[in-house]
Amino acid sequence: FFGLGIIGQFMPDKNSAAHADFEKNREALQKELSEMQKKIQGSVKAMNLESVDIEDRGGLLILSLKDNLFAVGSADVGTDLKINLAKIAGILLSNKDVNIDVQGHTDNTGDSTMNQKLSELRAMNVVSVLVEQGVDKNRLTFRGLGQTQPIADNSTEDGRKKNRRVDLVIVDKK
């Protein structure tokens, strides 16, 4: 959960009353995040977004955009991706307290420096489309992760296609 690492650095002594309050507040925030994530999951499933995988990775809800999103060496947002992003923007507009970290990824084609920049550009372009659809830019962050987090085997063409993707991570509430 975004922010808990920083808060944890200032956590009161385990035997103090402040620690009990801290734990109660943390549990309430985690419960609120979990409920928000379930609501988003329900919205995505209701829209039948076949090209969006929903995953829970270590307590983070991730909407992974898939299905050949980007060509090799390209950050262009194609028509199919724009359509799916418009649907996701609709979900975000009806859930205004959700913030998203847009994470761009690449396959291992090319060198790692180029892939890092390409992944950042992919994430930035997705943020631009969401903002064009009315999502407040202050709710969106972006970053490129290059080729560091493949979800498929980069030794096959099919695997490389799957790795050229963008993930939308629900990070916290406003």
Side-chain angles (χ1 to χ4, degrees):
F1 183 75
F2 184 79
L4 283 181
I6 293 170
I7 293 170
Q9 295 175 5
F10 303 103
M11 187 163 41
D13 182 272
K14 288 186 178 187
N15 297 323
S16 71
H19 177 74
D21 287 341
F22 173 84
E23 287 298 319
K24 189 185 304 181
N25 288 336
R26 184 172 68 155
E27 289 171 11
L29 287 172
Q30 287 174 330
K31 181 179 179 189
E32 197 173 338
L33 177 65
S34 177
E35 289 169 3
M36 178 182 58
Q37 289 175 339
K38 287 177 187 174
K39 185 177 177 184
I40 296 292
Q41 282 178 311
S43 296
V44 170
K45 287 179 183 176
M47 292 187 104
N48 275 336
L49 292 174
E50 294 176 9
S51 63
V52 177
D53 281 338
I54 304 171
E55 297 178 50
D56 182 345
R57 287 189 212 151
L60 291 176
L61 184 66
I62 299 174
L63 306 178
S64 185
L65 305 173
K66 59 178 187 151
D67 290 343
N68 306 329
L69 297 177
F70 299 97
V72 175
S74 173
D76 293 339
V77 177
T79 304
D80 290 342
L81 179 54
K82 282 184 181 179
I83 291 169
N84 283 325
L85 288 172
K87 292 176 183 178
I88 290 171
I91 293 169
L92 296 176
L93 290 170
S94 66
N95 294 278
K96 292 189 183 286
D97 56 351
V98 174
N99 293 329
I100 301 291
D101 183 29
V102 179
Q103 300 177 352
H105 300 272
T106 67
D107 61 23
N108 66 350
T109 306
D111 70 31
S112 61
T113 301
M114 180 198 76
N115 283 336
Q116 178 61 37
K117 291 177 182 178
L118 181 60
S119 67
E120 290 169 9
L121 189 56
R122 287 175 176 170
M124 288 170 58
N125 288 347
V126 166
V127 166
S128 293
V129 171
L130 291 171
V131 170
E132 287 171 8
Q133 294 293 321
V135 178
D136 181 352
K137 67 181 177 185
N138 294 317
R139 296 173 53 199
L140 304 169
T141 58
F142 70 89
R143 61 183 153 151
L145 297 170
Q147 61 193 38
T148 63
Q149 296 183 5
I151 58 170
D153 185 356
N154 269 315
S155 68
T156 68
E157 179 57 31
D158 186 52
R160 288 187 296 274
K161 285 180 182 179
K162 290 177 182 176
N163 290 329
R164 296 190 298 264
R165 71 187 194 285
V166 173
D167 293 337
L168 304 177
V169 181
I170 298 173
V171 290
D172 65 3
K173 293 181 67 146
K174 283 186 181 179

